[in-house]
Structure formats: C-alpha cells, structure tokens
Amino acid sequence: VGVKAVVALEAGRRFSEDRQSGALELLLVTPLSPRKIAYGQWEALRRHFRGPLLALLAVNAASFWVLAIVNPWQFPSSMRFFMGQALLLGAVALWVDFRALCWVGMLQGLRSRRHNRAVLVTLARVLLVPWLGVVLFTLVAAVAGGVRDSEMPGYAFVWFLIGFLISLLQAFWARNELPDRLRQWVSNDRGPATAPAASVAASAMT
C-alpha cells in the first residue's frame, strides 16, 4: 500500500507543476500531440518505478516459494493454497493497480488545482472500493461468527477480481480521457481566474 501511495503522489506531480508554471502550454505549441505527451509521461513513470516494482515482485516470488512450496512451518494444505493464491493474485494486482494509479494520477494532476487533492482522489478512485470491501467483509465475518478456512480462497478471489475490474476500468477511462482533453484543460486553466479581472476592468471603463 505504501508503494501505491508513492505512485499516486508521483503520477500527478509533473502535470500539476507544469500546468501551474505554464510549461504545458509551451509544450502544446510544439509538434508533439497531446497523446504523445501523455504516453511520454506514462513511459517516464514506468521507468521511474521499474526498480521498486521488480523488487516487490521478487519478494512476492520468494514468499510464494517459501510459504506455498517449501512450507517449512508445515501449514495445512488449505492454508498453503490460500497463501499461494493471495501472493499470485497480489503480483497481478500490483501491476494492474500501478497502471491505474499512473493514468488516473496524471489525469487528476491535470484537473485538480491542488496536488494533494489529486493524490487523494486518485487513491480513492482506484483503491477505496476494494478496501471498503475488506472492512465490510471483516464486519460481516465477525457478526456471522467467523469464516471457515476452506471458504477463504473463494472470498479472496472475488475480492481481487473486483479490484482488478475497478483498476482496469479506471485505467481505461483515464488513458482515453487524458489525451483527448489535455489541450482543453490547459487552455481553460486560467479562465475562471481571469473573469473577475475582466469584470473589474469593464466596470472601471464605464
């Protein structure tokens, strides 16, 4: 979760800073298309986080080998299956969530006036619903008197599946929305701020 928060923090930072400084306006008058600008930033984020992601995947693979295959603590088969499933699905979720956090983060960094708000919105859109599901499941399990070990893999699979679908939909939406409307958001960035000044000038002239 900590790494995903860092991804959300970094994903929108460049667009947020460049929009506020006017660098994006200058970039848009070059031959580069909005799509190339957006995908260039995506490539930069992917290179930036390649090392940490590979390190996490290596730790995940080592944990899978020890817990699900070697099993030095002699866990029962149902527990080994659950832990192995969780580690494998977690590796897939890491990559899917990374794509979603990057694209949604870039989009929110461009749209939001404040970078901290963009980070919070990004985390909420990608991660809030799955983690609310964990809280709800915990409460329901506590009221029902617990969950049998044999049922845990099924619940975990459903939870991961919901998270996958949310992340994929968010990534698809942001990836299509950002290039199509980048020029519009940049050109309208100072529109609301200049309206009061124009009104004051008009009233002064009259």
Side-chain angles (χ1 to χ4, degrees):
V1 178
V3 173
K4 294 179 181 180
V6 174
V7 172
L9 180 68
E10 186 66 22
R13 182 181 62 82
R14 175 53 57 193
F15 275 163
S16 179
E17 292 178 353
D18 288 350
R19 177 179 57 79
Q20 295 177 16
S21 66
L24 269 178
E25 291 181 275
L26 297 176
L27 193 60
L28 285 172
V29 301
T30 67
L32 289 174
S33 66
R35 184 166 297 275
K36 287 185 177 180
I37 295 173
Y39 276 84
Q41 179 62 15
W42 153 246
E43 290 294 334
L45 288 169
R46 190 167 63 172
R47 290 194 299 268
H48 181 75
F49 286 103
R50 181 181 300 164
L53 289 177
L54 290 176
L56 286 175
L57 290 175
V59 172
N60 192 288
S63 300
F64 178 84
W65 173 260
V66 172
L67 297 176
I69 298 179
V70 177
N71 193 23
W73 295 283
Q74 300 299 313
F75 291 122
S77 298
S78 59
M79 182 61 68
R80 291 174 61 191
F81 179 79
F82 170 70
M83 290 188 296
Q85 179 197 50
L87 290 167
L88 289 176
L89 293 175
V92 179
L94 177 65
W95 175 244
V96 175
D97 287 347
F98 172 73
R99 291 182 65 93
L101 289 168
C102 284
W103 282 105
V104 176
M106 288 190 291
L107 180 64
Q108 295 302 325
L110 185 66
R111 295 174 62 178
S112 301
R113 294 286 180 176
R114 297 181 178 180
H115 181 48
N116 57 353
R117 184 179 183 276
V119 174
L120 293 176
V121 173
T122 299
L123 291 172
R125 293 190 72 105
V126 179
L127 302 178
L128 180 61
V129 173
W131 286 105
L132 285 178
V134 171
V135 175
L136 181 61
F137 173 78
T138 303
L139 293 175
V140 172
V143 173
V147 178
R148 292 192 296 269
D149 291 343
S150 59
E151 298 174 339
M152 288 299 296
Y155 287 119
F157 180 78
V158 172
W159 180 75
F160 277 106
L161 181 61
I162 293 173
F164 293 158
L165 292 176
I166 291 174
S167 293
L168 288 173
L169 290 173
Q170 291 292 331
F172 179 80
W173 165 74
R175 189 182 63 184
N176 288 277
E177 185 82 356
L178 178 57
D180 292 342
R181 301 189 61 185
L182 190 149
R183 192 180 300 276
Q184 174 188 342
W185 280 322
V186 172
S187 62
N188 293 338
D189 182 44
R190 294 179 177 82
T194 57
S199 301
V200 172
S203 62
M205 293 177 63
T206 57

